[in-house]
């Protein structure tokens, strides 16, 4: 059964990463990441959300995916890191 | 000496057009068709949200209706800010690779391009300091927030300075999530911010702050700031961005 999960995660430095996701049997069906962080190029956030679709809600896999996103796109985060995105998504698993 | 163009163009009662002009300038500067630019402008009461924010989560829609506050999304990241005519906005657009910001690091851009505003505020007697990631603070209270981007072959930095804003409305129209307030030992957004007027204990006009910031920019960056007007490319692009993006609910309120 599909469940809606959400979390507001405060990154070191104070920026907020807000995750709203649909989960089914331990997998992400879709995810929306919002917040007051900086990420350039700005359009890359949509790519990250797309990459996370159908990913298992497990730390190791999420970490690999988010790291691959940063390496692959050359995106630069400010106030948010790869680790923060992973932690915010994992926090949503609980919420 | 390098000359920067000063643009004083604003649409106080049309925040959507204000943001369209805001985007048009760095795009055309990046094309090499306009010079390095600093723009000053105001909005009547408006919430400007960051490009990654959810309007639904960040904004108290009911309070906006009651107070006649507009909501517009900007093209840069960062957090929601409340604008009124006591709030002075400044924006710096430079071509990519400019000597002041040679690397492509956004934190360096914020630090360097906040210096002019910090210097201007200090000249007025405000003990302003840059506070990473993107704030200017006075003894722990925020007086200005900045945002920016490196795109379109340009480096862009903009900030809003609370000169004499109505902080009571600010507290009503913005939802500040509980997680955001943790660790700060304060209960509301209103207590975390200050205004130039509060700090100096007198009424201060945004014009006075603008002039001080122009001086700060000239001194800090070794440039001359001279009044100018938008190029026809910028006017055309601003019109287009207004029609296709900033006047649209899909851009401003979704997700």
């Amino acid at each position: 059964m599909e469940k809606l999960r959400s979390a507001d995660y405060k990154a070191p430095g104070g920026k907020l990463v807000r995750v709203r996701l649909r989960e089914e049997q331990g997998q992400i069906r879709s995810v929306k990441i919002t917040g007051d962080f900086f990420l350039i190029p700005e359009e890359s956030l949509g790519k990250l959300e797309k990459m996370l679709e159908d990913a298992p809600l497990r730390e190791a896999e999420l970490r690999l995916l988010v790291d691959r996103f940063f390496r692959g796109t050359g995106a630069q985060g400010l106030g948010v890191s790869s680790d923060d995105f992973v932690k915010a998504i994992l926090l949503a698993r609980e919420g | 000496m390098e000359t920067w163009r000063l643009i004083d163009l604003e649409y106080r009662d049309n925040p959507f057009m204000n943001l369209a002009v805001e985007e048009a300038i760095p795009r055309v500067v990046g094309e090499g068709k306009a010079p390095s630019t600093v723009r000053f402008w105001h909005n009547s009461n408006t919430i400007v949200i960051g490009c990654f924010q959810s309007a639904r989560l960040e904004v108290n829609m009911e309070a906006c209706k009651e107070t006649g506050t507009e909501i517009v999304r900007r093209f840069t990241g960062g957090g929601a800010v409340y604008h009124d005519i006591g709030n002075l906005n400044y924006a710096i657009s430079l071509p990519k690779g400019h000597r002041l910001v040679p690397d492509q690091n956004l934190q360096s851009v914020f630090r360097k391009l906040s210096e002019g505003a910090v210097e201007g505020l200090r000249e007025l007697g405000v003990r302003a300091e840059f506070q990473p990631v993107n704030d200017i603070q006075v003894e722990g209270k925020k007086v200005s927030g900045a945002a920016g981007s490196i795109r379109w072959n340009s480096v862009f930095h903009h900030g809003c300075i609370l000169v004499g804003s109505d902080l009571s409305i600010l507290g009503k129209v913005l939802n500040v999530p509980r997680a955001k307030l943790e660790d700060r030992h304060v209960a509301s957004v209103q207590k975390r911010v200050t205004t130039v007027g509060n700090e100096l204990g007198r009424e201060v006009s945004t014009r006075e702050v603008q002039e001080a910031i122009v001086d700060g920019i000239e001194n800090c960056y070794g440039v001359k700031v001279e009044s100018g007007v938008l190029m026809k490319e910028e006017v055309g692009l601003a019109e287009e961005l207004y029609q296709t993006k900033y006047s649209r609910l899909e851009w401003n309120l979704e997700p």
Side-chain angles (χ1 to χ4, degrees):
Chain A
M1 200 176 78
E2 195 176 273
K3 288 178 182 152
L4 293 175
R5 305 283 193 191
S6 69
D8 289 344
Y9 167 81
K10 190 170 163 182
K15 297 296 178 196
L16 200 64
V17 182
R18 314 186 83 167
V19 173
R20 302 292 181 266
L21 63 81
R22 292 189 301 129
E23 180 223 320
E24 195 175 0
Q25 295 178 324
Q27 282 195 317
I28 296 172
R29 287 296 167 230
S30 67
V31 61
K32 191 73 209 161
I33 302 171
T34 68
D36 60 352
F37 50 84
F38 295 94
L39 185 73
I40 54 172
E42 285 78 2
E43 291 74 16
S44 64
L45 187 63
K47 281 186 196 157
L48 175 61
E49 291 170 341
K50 196 81 189 154
M51 283 173 76
L52 288 164
E53 282 177 14
D54 298 326
L57 266 172
R58 284 194 302 266
E59 181 168 355
E61 284 89 342
L62 289 172
R63 207 164 281 284
L64 273 175
L65 263 173
V66 178
D67 286 347
R68 192 186 305 154
F69 159 76
F70 274 101
R71 273 200 317 275
T73 58
Q76 183 188 147
L78 177 60
V80 69
S81 64
S82 171
D83 186 53
D84 295 322
F85 282 128
V86 172
K87 284 180 171 157
I89 297 162
L90 289 172
L91 191 63
R93 187 177 58 182
E94 323 298 326
Chain B
M1 186 187 281
E2 185 185 342
T3 301
W4 286 10
R5 178 181 58 160
L6 173 73
I7 293 290
D8 232 339
L9 177 71
E10 63 175 15
Y11 300 85
R12 286 191 184 202
D13 296 319
N14 188 345
F16 314 104
M17 192 62 193
N18 263 335
L19 267 296
V21 171
E22 194 82 336
E23 178 173 333
I25 293 173
R27 280 177 177 262
V28 176
V29 168
E31 288 172 10
K33 294 176 182 166
S36 296
T37 299
V38 55
R39 175 189 179 212
F40 292 93
W41 55 284
H42 302 76
N43 270 333
S44 298
N45 50 338
T46 301
I47 290 182
V48 181
I49 60 173
C51 65
F52 302 122
Q53 290 190 297
S54 156
R56 191 175 50 80
L57 292 176
E58 306 297 335
V59 178
N60 183 330
M61 301 284 184
E62 278 303 306
C64 283
K65 268 186 208 159
E66 280 167 25
T67 54
T69 304
E70 300 278 14
I71 303 162
V72 59
R73 184 184 300 279
R74 59 177 185 266
F75 63 90
T76 53
V81 285
Y82 172 70
H83 289 182
D84 63 15
I85 54 163
N87 183 100
L88 177 67
N89 298 292
Y90 72 100
I92 298 173
S93 301
L94 304 175
K96 197 167 170 179
H98 189 279
R99 66 178 169 86
L100 290 175
V101 279
D103 65 11
Q104 300 302 306
N105 179 288
L106 199 53
Q107 182 67 89
S108 311
V109 169
F110 288 164
R111 183 178 292 279
K112 189 70 195 172
L113 297 184
S114 291
E115 280 177 8
V118 168
E119 174 76 16
L121 290 171
R122 285 186 183 163
E123 195 179 297
L124 289 171
V126 177
R127 281 172 288 181
E129 284 176 330
F130 177 71
Q131 177 68 37
V133 174
N134 57 324
D135 288 345
I136 297 175
Q137 290 192 347
V138 186
E139 289 166 357
K141 287 187 171 187
K142 177 172 172 171
V143 72
S144 177
S149 189
I150 302 167
R151 63 194 307 188
W152 308 312
N153 223 19
S154 68
V155 177
F156 178 78
H157 170 100
H158 55 180
C160 57
I161 299 170
L162 293 160
V163 177
S165 302
D166 184 347
L167 297 183
S168 68
I169 292 190
L170 183 151
K172 281 182 207 155
V173 292
L174 288 178
N175 292 330
V176 179
R178 199 177 302 154
K180 189 79 186 171
L181 291 170
E182 284 167 9
D183 311 332
R184 297 208 183 189
H185 309 292
V186 285
S188 73
V189 62
Q190 203 177 330
K191 291 180 185 163
R192 294 193 287 120
V193 299
T194 186
T195 65
V196 176
N198 282 347
E199 293 305 313
L200 296 181
R202 64 176 174 87
E203 244 183 56
V204 182
S205 70
T206 54
R207 174 58 66 170
E208 186 181 348
V209 175
Q210 175 175 328
E211 283 166 5
I213 291 175
V214 167
D215 287 348
I217 285 173
E218 289 185 331
N219 294 336
C220 278
Y221 308 141
V223 299
K224 181 85 193 120
V225 176
E226 282 181 2
S227 271
V229 292
L230 291 185
M231 304 291 172
K232 68 174 189 308
E233 289 88 347
E234 290 167 309
V235 174
L237 183 55
E239 281 291 341
E240 185 188 328
L241 288 166
Y242 176 76
Q243 296 296 342
T244 59
K245 184 172 179 180
Y246 290 101
S247 64
R248 292 180 178 261
L249 287 180
E250 308 92 272
W251 168 255
N252 291 312
L253 299 185
E254 291 172 11

